[in-house]
Amino acid sequence: MQIKQIESYPNALLSCAAKDLHALFPQPTLLHLPGKNPQPIFISILLHGNETTGFMAIQRLLNKYVQLALPRSLSVFFGNTRAAALGLRRLDSQPDYNRIWPGTELAHCPETHIASQIVDIMRSKKVFASIDVHNNTGLNPHYACINKLDNRYLQLANLFGRLVVYFLRPLGVQSAAFAEICPAVTLECGRPGQQYGVDHAFAYLNDCLHLTELATHPVHSQDIDLFHTTAQVKIKEDRSFSFSDTSSDLLFDQQLERMNFTEIAAGTSLGILQDMSSIPLLATDEQGENVTEQYFKTENMQLQLKKNTMPSMLTLDEHVIRQDCLCYLMERIQV
Ligand SMILES: [Zn+2]
């Protein structure tokens, strides 16, 4: 499978809904548009088909420059349009489009082939910076993620806001692959469908198009809250969980997502257990080691935190928890 590359786009792209994009781009498509500065910005959207904010921001950006010259060349990857047609993160038959990029743990497949073609194409175009736009389902603030602690990467992230997350896992994400060739960020723009998210992403993308260079000096410590992901937490596949069904192995607290980006004290309960003999979660650190026992314990039929930590990406969406993960745990890095 070859990536489809185009240098102009159908007019319908300027106004269609994300779910109708599949009719225009039935396969993964990379659009290149020329600008005054030839070194392109690379933007990927809809790597997760239900995360439409990036698509709506790109649509607004394309509308803005219909008659105007772009300040810088722009390459846009329209990701999982098949999943977008159904309003899903991915189809069950597909890999996650944000786990297929060079560095991935997945076996070679058509999607990993396309992702590595895109990186090669953008490397040959001397890509200036890379931005991958996402939403999440839980109650989270807007933040940018980076995979390299380099001043230019921190500057690019800090342009989006003061909240920045540095992570090395999961493997195979777009921003980690591009971090090898240019400053790269992942944007988390809150829930899909919020006008504020589209406004924020659009303003950021437009600002980035106007950047002539990224500063190499450190971000001022008073302008940034930088966190490092220390663990990814999943529910063990053979355990049931719910926010409402009291017969499940783990009954979560319905206020769970209020813990996102909040310092949570050791001893805090996340939910009620049917069986105290083992922890129904699997926490994995940045080296891929099982660290479940460092972070969680069972006590009084409750699942409790064992140490102070800050969660992100907690959601009440049971399908997302199964398809992706329960949450990430973080700690602050001083800059
Ligand atoms: Zn996403």
Side-chain angles (χ1 to χ4, degrees):
M1 186 151 65
Q2 295 289 317
I3 178 77
K4 184 172 183 198
Q5 296 188 74
I6 54 176
E7 291 182 356
S8 63
Y9 54 82
N11 256 328
L13 178 62
L14 296 173
S15 56
C16 74
K19 69 176 173 45
D20 300 325
L21 186 59
H22 184 246
L24 303 180
F25 301 148
Q27 65 195 88
T29 300
L30 182 58
L31 166 68
H32 303 291
L33 296 173
K36 289 176 193 161
N37 187 325
Q39 258 191 289
I41 287 226
F42 175 64
I43 300 170
S44 54
I45 55 166
L46 291 171
L47 294 191
H48 296 142
N50 59 335
E51 300 175 11
T52 53
T53 291
F55 172 66
M56 293 169 78
I58 280 290
Q59 207 167 37
R60 201 192 293 179
L61 199 69
L62 294 178
N63 273 290
K64 178 179 167 73
Y65 291 99
V66 164
Q67 304 285 350
L68 290 172
L70 283 161
R72 175 183 287 285
S73 293
L74 174 63
S75 297
V76 182
F77 175 50
F78 298 87
N80 198 339
T81 60
R82 276 180 72 198
L86 300 171
L88 297 173
R89 178 183 175 93
R90 63 174 170 90
L91 307 184
D92 284 334
S93 60
Q94 293 177 318
D96 185 320
Y97 273 38
N98 202 25
R99 304 288 184 271
I100 58 176
W101 299 82
T104 182
E105 289 175 303
L106 299 181
H108 188 79
C109 64
E111 290 84 359
T112 59
H113 183 60
I114 279 190
S116 74
Q117 280 180 57
I118 293 172
V119 174
D120 290 343
I121 291 163
M122 295 315 301
R123 186 191 291 113
S124 71
K125 289 181 179 289
K126 300 190 166 30
V127 58
F128 168 71
S130 167
I131 302 160
D132 182 25
V133 191
H134 287 257
N135 294 105
N136 44 60
T137 48
L139 197 60
N140 289 284
H142 291 187
Y143 59 98
C145 303
I146 55 172
N147 310 92
K148 228 178 216 188
L149 289 174
D150 172 298
N151 286 338
R152 290 175 307 148
Y153 295 54
L154 285 160
Q155 294 281 359
L156 185 65
N158 197 220
L159 273 176
F160 187 63
R162 59 177 300 120
L163 201 50
V164 178
V165 173
Y166 165 66
F167 73 91
L168 297 174
R169 282 198 177 238
L171 301 177
V173 302
Q174 192 272 33
S175 58
F178 274 86
E180 298 296 321
I181 56 173
C182 66
V185 292
T186 301
L187 305 184
E188 290 290 351
C189 303
R191 291 177 161 133
Q194 295 175 324
Q195 188 57 43
Y196 169 65
V198 179
D199 293 346
H200 189 191
F202 164 75
Y204 176 81
L205 297 178
N206 193 41
D207 286 350
C208 289
L209 274 178
H210 286 87
L211 285 173
T212 50
E213 58 180 9
L214 282 162
T216 54
H217 60 74
V219 173
H220 294 294
S221 59
Q222 69 269 26
D223 293 336
I224 189 166
D225 289 309
L226 177 61
F227 297 94
H228 175 206
T229 298
T230 51
Q232 183 193 42
V233 185
K234 295 189 172 205
I235 315 247
K236 286 184 182 160
E237 278 181 25
D238 59 349
R239 299 307 180 87
S240 63
F241 69 96
S242 176
F243 289 90
S244 53
D245 179 359
T246 52
S247 68
S248 353
D249 294 332
L250 173 54
L251 177 65
F252 279 120
D253 187 321
Q254 296 195 353
Q255 302 295 313
L256 202 63
E257 61 178 353
R258 298 190 179 276
M259 294 181 183
N260 283 331
F261 286 90
T262 307
E263 185 92 65
I264 306 297
T268 301
S269 170
L270 301 183
I272 297 164
L273 297 166
Q274 286 283 337
D275 162 17
M276 291 242 298
S277 62
S278 74
I279 299 168
L281 305 181
L282 177 62
T284 313
D285 73 6
E286 293 272 82
Q287 285 71 47
E289 299 295 324
N290 181 342
V291 290
T292 312
E293 308 264 329
Q294 289 176 35
Y295 286 96
F296 299 99
K297 61 178 178 176
T298 60
E299 204 166 301
N300 300 328
M301 300 312 284
Q302 292 177 344
L303 173 67
Q304 294 184 355
L305 281 171
K306 201 166 175 180
K307 61 196 266 188
N308 297 348
T309 187
M310 182 182 278
S312 68
M313 303 275 260
L314 280 165
T315 169
L316 304 183
D317 185 323
E318 295 176 8
H319 188 65
V320 169
I321 293 172
R322 271 291 179 218
Q323 256 199 352
D324 187 19
C325 67
L326 173 65
C327 68
Y328 293 89
L329 301 176
M330 307 185 297
E331 60 192 35
R332 185 180 283 269
I333 306 178
Q334 296 302 334
V335 289

